[in-house]
Amino acid sequence: MVHPADIPLAAYIHWPWCLAKCPYCDFNSHPLPGVDRRAAARESYVQALLTDVQQQRDLARDRSIRTVFLGGGTPSLFTPEEIARVLTGLRSHFDVAVDAEITMEINPGALERGGLAGYREAGVNRVSFGAQSFDPTVLKRLGRLHGPEETNDAVRQAKAAGFERINVDVMHGLPGQTLDSAESDVRSALALGTDHISYYQLTLEPNTRFHAFPPELPEESVLADIADAGGRLLTDAGFGSYEVSAWAEPGAQCQHNLNYWLFGDYLAFGAGAHGKLTTSAGVHRYVRPVHPRSYTAEVSAPIRFDAIDPSTLPFEFLLNSLRLTDGFTEADFEARTGLAIQCVLPALENARTEGLIAHPSVGRWAPTAFGRRFLNDLQARFLP
C-alpha cells in the first residue's frame, strides 16, 4: 500500500520564453513576445500561474512542499517582482516548508544588473546558470547569446546577493570540442567557486535543429576521454558525482532533482509542465497545456490525470534511481511504488552477476562504475 504522505512533494513552475531557441534544446520554450506586447504577455502569464496554483491547491491535501524549481525557457526574463508574486501565491495556497530549496534557472545573457538581489529577496535561495561552455566560438555554435565574462559576472552577482547555493551547467562533447578545450571548460567552471556543477554530454534530441542538421561532434573515443578527464578534474576539486551528470561538494546536492530521481511527487504549474501525484488510488501523471497562449486560455479547465500502469512502476522507479551513484534503498522502492522488492529481485540479481549493479549494504542497490557506463543496458533489464 502506498501512503502519499510518506512521499516527498515538490513543485515545478515553468517560464516558457527565451530570447532565442538554441539548436540543441528540446524543452518547451518559445520566442519572447515583441517589445510592445512583452509587459502585457508577462502579466497575463503571471495571472495564469496564480490561477493554476489556486486551482491545484487541493491536490497536496496535508502534504508539505519541500522543494520548488523555476525552470524554462528563461525564468530570468521575468522581473523579481513577478517571481515574488508567484512564490507568494504558492505559499498562500500550499504548505511550503520554511527551509524549502527554491531554485531558479538563469541565462547569463538574460539577466539585468542587480536582478539577482531582487530574486533573492523574492524567496529564491538557489540559482542555476546555463553556462554550457566558456569558449566563445563554441558558445556561438550552440546558439548561445552570452559570452564567458557574462557567466563570470553573473556568478559574482549571485555571491554578492547572498546566494550560497549556486549551480553552473557545463556541456561536453560539443561541436569542434577537443580534450584540451573540454578540460579548460571544467577548470573555468571550478574557478567560479560554486558548490554544484552539472556536467553533461550534448545529445541530439528529436525536434531540434541539431537533430535535423547534425553538427560534427567528437569521435566516440574522444567523447569517453573528455567525460573521464572532466570527472577527474571535478573529483580532484572535491566534488562528488551523485548522479550521472550531477557533481556537488558535500551537502550541496540538488534536493529537487533528487526527488525526481527517487520517484517523488511533484506538482506542475505553467505551460507544458509535467506533474506526478500519488494517491490512495495509485500513481498518476498530468500535463498542463503546452503553448503559452493555450495555457493562459485553458488554465481553468479541469486537469486530466493519467494513471500509471502498475506493471510499469518498477521500470518507472528504476529508470531514474539507477542514475544515482548511491542507487536506492529497497524501502524507497516499496514506499513509492507500493510493490514488494521481490518483484524485481531476480532482475537485480542477474544484473549483479553481470557486474552492472552492486548490493553495497543491506537493503541498498547501486550501479557499479561499469553499470553507469552502460546505463541504458542496465535500465533495459527492468522494462515490463
Side-chain angles (χ1 to χ4, degrees), residues 193-264:
T194 66
D195 64 351
H196 194 289
I197 293 176
S198 296
Y199 187 58
Y200 57 100
Q201 183 175 325
L202 170 67
T203 55
L204 306 185
E205 301 289 355
N207 302 316
T208 65
R209 194 186 316 160
F210 271 4
H211 190 269
F213 306 99
E216 185 173 350
L217 302 179
E219 296 181 356
E220 287 294 330
S221 60
V222 177
L223 289 174
D225 290 342
I226 286 173
D228 290 343
R232 286 193 295 271
L233 288 170
L234 289 162
T235 300
D236 291 346
F239 283 68
S241 170
Y242 68 99
E243 188 267 345
V244 170
S245 58
W247 295 74
E249 292 182 340
Q253 294 87 348
C254 177
Q255 297 304 306
H256 186 86
N257 286 342
L258 280 172
N259 184 58
Y260 286 146
W261 293 321
L262 284 171
F263 210 51

Side-chain angles (χ1 to χ4, degrees), residues 16 32 48 54 75 79 94 115 134 136-137 152 159 163 168 171 177 183 189 191 201 228 231 257 272 323 328 331:
L32 187 67
Q54 182 176 9
T79 68
F94 294 91
F134 293 84
T137 301
N152 297 339
K159 291 181 176 180
F163 284 99
V168 174
M171 298 174 72
Q177 191 175 57
E183 289 182 318
Q201 183 175 325
D228 290 343
N257 286 342
R323 295 177 62 88
F328 65 93

Side-chain angles (χ1 to χ4, degrees), residues 124-153:
V124 178
N125 54 32
R126 182 178 183 273
V127 286
S128 179
F129 293 107
Q132 314 311 356
S133 176
F134 293 84
D135 183 326
T137 301
V138 172
L139 286 170
K140 288 181 180 179
R141 291 175 184 151
L142 293 176
R144 304 297 289 179
L145 301 180
H146 71 273
E149 187 50 44
E150 286 172 292
T151 297
N152 297 339
D153 185 55

Side-chain angles (χ1 to χ4, degrees), residues 357-374:
I357 199 168
H359 197 194
S361 60
V362 175
R364 176 173 289 278
W365 294 85
T368 61
F370 180 63
R372 290 194 298 275
R373 184 173 289 275
F374 295 96

Side-chain angles (χ1 to χ4, degrees), residues 340-354:
I341 191 65
Q342 282 74 16
C343 71
V344 291
L345 273 180
L348 287 171
E349 291 292 356
N350 287 339
R352 180 164 67 165
T353 300
E354 297 179 29

